[in-house]
């Protein structure tokens, strides 16, 4: 399973990539594999100011549904428009085309406090 | 947690495993959608060895079966199988099951849900007043379901028994892939056609049959299929899953299982069900499809246009074959009419759905 070194991770299996004060967020390869075929990504928090740990959306797989948790404080600035018609991008390219939201991060130091790839690897065994 | 004789194979194949009814079972090997399509369009193999099997023998075996089940097992002749259920006395269902007539009036095999083996055994034993010989052969029995339009064509070279022309709900017993005493029945819970293969879990039987099936079918695209796709396949057909759509509190009449409830004979729970039939049921199991975007799940509330609670979802999924979200659930009678619009409460939202016929199309 693939966990890129350049990303930070949460124990809820989201990844985050920081560029300036804008972060891109998605779910990990482990998460997409556990969920199985993803059929619907519902995110209705565009423009909202949220705290770390808040639910920013929901992902529906054939068999199960799972909430998406924001890794750090900030506001949602963009939702991946491709997921509406191609939710399976989350399965096929979780770190690329399958990203979920972009957000403006309140405090960029928060991102560096999250797990790195090695630590996350330890969480998922 | 128990293993089936095939557990090591599932793990070696990289299956996602999970506990199901106390067994370590394969949920999915590659992708649910892919596995689902393999069964609908070609053929796939399910390990369902966790299912329970009881043998009932002797001159009173049929009497006992007639007493505990709702369908009319006296219609069965050797080589025929029947779908039935064990009603309780309060208008609920102890389990749904298959009855195989091995020898008319003498030898029957009943096949029950893995999660209910002990409950069913005790329930039937309690009513076994005439000392019918009963054997729980669940742990000694392997069961592989080979399902799909090409299943019997793939399997035919493995046996001299004619399985390509086996009629629905009939079975044959004999030599299969070099193993004796194998029961092959034209049954299954996918709606895709195919057979179920029962055989003794002894020696290298399990290895021999599994390997022979994949050697014969591998080149033709036969694949192992997990329980997740089994669930989407049965749901598309509108088949009830025990524990989801039917349980100890749902009556066969409410569940649309009136066709296996025969009032022409005596059985446990008959009085309650006959009265229920006369008075009319208050709720009914329906199929529905989502109009708004969202996936219904077991336990979600069903409401009418005014927001009044009218029932609950019992099963739901995104249908891999139809590309839309479908579900089943109990609703008050007056809403159980095709094309009636209903609302499914998905998280905080009421999403529009409509009642449709099953099998879903």
């Amino acid at each position: 399973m693939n966990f890129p070194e350049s990303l930070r991770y949460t124990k809820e299996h989201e990844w985050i990539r920081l560029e300036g004060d804008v972060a891109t967020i998605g779910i990990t390869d482990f998460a997409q594999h556990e969920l199985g075929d993803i059929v619907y990504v519902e995110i209705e928090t565009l423009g909202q100011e949220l705290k770390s740990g808040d639910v920013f959306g929901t992902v529906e797989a054939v068999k199960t549904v799972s909430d998406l948790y924001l890794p750090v404080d900030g506001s949602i600035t963009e939702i991946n428009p491709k997921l509406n018609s191609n939710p399976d991008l989350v399965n096929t390219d979780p770190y690329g085309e399958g990203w979920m939201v972009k957000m403006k991060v309140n405090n960029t130091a928060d991102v560096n406090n999250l797990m790195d790839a090695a630590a996350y690897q330890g969480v998922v065994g | 947690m128990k293993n089936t004789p095939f557990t090591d194979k599932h793990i070696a194949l990289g299956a996602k495993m999970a506990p199901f009814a106390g067994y370590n079972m394969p949920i999915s090997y590659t992708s649910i959608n892919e596995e689902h399509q393999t069964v609908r369009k070609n053929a796939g193999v399910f390990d369902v060895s966790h299912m329970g099997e009881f043998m009932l023998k002797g001159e009173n075996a049929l009497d006992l079966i007639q007493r505990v089940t709702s369908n009319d097992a006296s219609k069965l002749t050797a080589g025929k199988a029947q779908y039935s259920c064990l009603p309780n006395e309060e208008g609920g269902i102890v389990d749904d099951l298959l009855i195989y007539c091995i020898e008319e009036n003498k030898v029957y095999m009943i096949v029950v849900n893995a999660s209910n083996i002990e409950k069913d055994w005790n329930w039937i034993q309690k009513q076994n007043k005439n000392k019918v010989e009963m054997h729980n052969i669940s742990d000694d029995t392997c069961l592989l379901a080979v399902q799909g339009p090409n299943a019997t064509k793939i399997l035919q070279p493995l046996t001299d028994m004619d399985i390509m022309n086996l009629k629905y709900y009939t079975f044959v017993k004999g030599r299969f892939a070099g193993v004796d005493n194998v029961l092959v029945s034209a049954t299954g819970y996918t709606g895709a056609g195919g057979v179920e293969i029962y055989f003794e879990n002894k020696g290298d039987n399990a290895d021999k049959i599994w390997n022979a099936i994949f050697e014969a079918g591998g080149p033709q695209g036969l694949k192992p299929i997990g329980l997740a796709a089994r669930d989407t396949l049965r749901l598309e057909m509108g088949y009830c899953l025990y524990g989801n759509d039917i349980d100890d509190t749902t009556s066969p009449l409410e569940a649309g299982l009136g066709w296996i409830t025969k009032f022409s004979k005596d059985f446990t729970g008959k009085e309650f069900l006959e009265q229920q039939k006369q008075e009319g049921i208050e709720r009914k199991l329906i199929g529905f499809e989502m109009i708004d975007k969202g996936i219904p799940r077991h336990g979600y509330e069903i409401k009418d246009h005014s927001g009044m609670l009218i029932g609950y979802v019992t099963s739901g999924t995104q249908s891999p074959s139809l590309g839309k979200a479908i579900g089943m659930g109990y609703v008050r009678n007056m809403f159980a009419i095709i094309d009636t619009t209903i609302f499914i409460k998905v998280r905080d939202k009421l999403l529009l759905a409509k009642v449709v016929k099953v099998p879903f199309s």
Side-chain angles (χ1 to χ4, degrees), chain B residues 139-157:
Chain B
D139 288 345
D140 310 315
T141 306
C142 302
L143 174 53
L144 294 175
V146 186
Q147 300 278 293
N150 296 327
T152 57
K153 193 173 71 191
I154 286 169
L155 298 178
Q156 188 59 72

Side-chain angles (χ1 to χ4, degrees), chain A residues 33 37 44 60-63, chain B residues 16 32-33 231 297 349:
Chain A
H33 186 258
D37 298 319
E44 294 173 335
E60 298 262 15
V62 175
K63 288 300 291 179
Chain B
K16 193 188 294 176
I32 299 173
N33 283 333
D231 191 49
R297 308 281 180 190
K349 282 187 289 190

Side-chain angles (χ1 to χ4, degrees), chain B residues 81 98 100 145-147 168-170 185-189 193-196 198:
Chain B
L98 286 180
Y100 287 83
V146 186
Q147 300 278 293
Y168 199 41
Y169 273 79
T170 67
S185 78
T187 51
Y189 221 50
V195 292
E196 294 183 294
Y198 299 83

Side-chain angles (χ1 to χ4, degrees), chain B residues 91-352:
Chain B
I93 299 173
V94 178
D95 203 3
D96 63 334
L97 45 77
L98 286 180
I99 300 164
Y100 287 83
C101 177
I102 313 278
E103 240 184 283
E104 202 173 338
N105 286 315
K106 271 203 195 117
V107 184
Y108 295 84
M109 177 171 77
I110 68 179
V111 182
V112 304
N113 284 299
S115 50
N116 292 336
I117 293 174
E118 201 184 334
K119 181 176 78 162
D120 293 353
W121 176 268
N122 294 337
W123 178 258
I124 298 169
Q125 271 295 4
K126 207 172 70 183
Q127 299 175 75
N128 185 6
K129 309 283 189 215
N130 289 318
K131 298 201 165 52
V132 170
E133 192 184 326
M134 279 178 63
H135 300 278
N136 180 354
I137 59 166
S138 304
D139 288 345
D140 310 315
T141 306
C142 302
L143 174 53
L144 294 175
V146 186
Q147 300 278 293
N150 296 327
T152 57
K153 193 173 71 191
I154 286 169
L155 298 178
Q156 188 59 72
L158 300 177
T159 180
D160 291 335
M161 300 184 282
D162 181 5
I163 54 174
M164 279 194 73
N165 297 304
L166 209 51
K167 287 206 181 86
Y168 199 41
Y169 273 79
T170 67
F171 66 91
V172 285
K173 212 170 173 185
R175 197 171 167 81
F176 181 95
V179 175
D180 286 318
N181 207 22
V182 178
L183 190 158
V184 181
S185 78
T187 51
Y189 221 50
T190 62
V195 292
E196 294 183 294
I197 305 170
Y198 299 83
F199 54 97
E200 291 166 273
N201 178 21
K202 68 172 191 193
D204 58 354
N205 281 2
D207 263 359
K208 256 164 123 172
I209 291 191
W210 177 277
N211 293 339
I213 289 172
F214 280 96
E215 272 162 33
Q220 298 177 64
L222 176 91
K223 297 264 167 64
I225 313 293
L227 291 184
R230 188 172 170 80
D231 191 49
T232 54
L233 286 156
R234 71 92 197 164
L235 185 49
E236 284 181 355
M237 299 307 295
Y239 296 157
C240 292
L241 175 65
Y242 194 88
N244 274 46
D245 312 297
I246 50 176
D247 61 30
D248 295 297
T249 67
T250 61
S251 109
L253 302 178
E254 293 168 338
L257 298 176
W259 63 281
I260 59 162
T261 308
K262 301 290 164 61
F263 294 118
S264 52
K265 62 157 209 175
D266 268 334
F267 62 92
T268 301
K270 180 184 176 182
E271 276 173 32
F272 188 104
L273 294 175
E274 232 173 356
Q275 195 183 337
Q276 190 177 49
K277 190 176 183 182
Q278 274 159 19
E279 291 172 358
I281 50 175
E282 287 173 7
R283 59 175 186 170
K284 211 169 164 185
L285 187 64
I286 52 140
F288 62 87
E289 64 178 57
M290 298 304 297
I291 296 170
D292 285 340
K293 200 165 180 178
I295 318 279
R297 308 281 180 190
H298 179 84
Y300 285 7
E301 292 177 353
I302 306 178
K303 300 200 162 185
D304 72 358
H305 60 90
S306 72
M308 183 178 69
L309 183 68
I310 57 168
Y312 290 93
V313 174
T314 54
S315 286
T317 190
Q318 173 78 6
S319 158
S321 298
L322 305 170
K324 57 188 174 190
I326 59 171
M328 297 206 290
Y330 286 95
V331 294
R332 288 193 201 174
N333 236 356
M334 59 181 292
F335 297 95
I337 297 161
I338 305 301
D339 287 335
T340 304
T341 50
I342 54 175
F343 293 84
I344 311 298
K345 193 176 174 206
V346 179
R347 292 176 287 281
D348 296 331
K349 282 187 289 190
L350 289 177
L351 302 182
L352 190 62

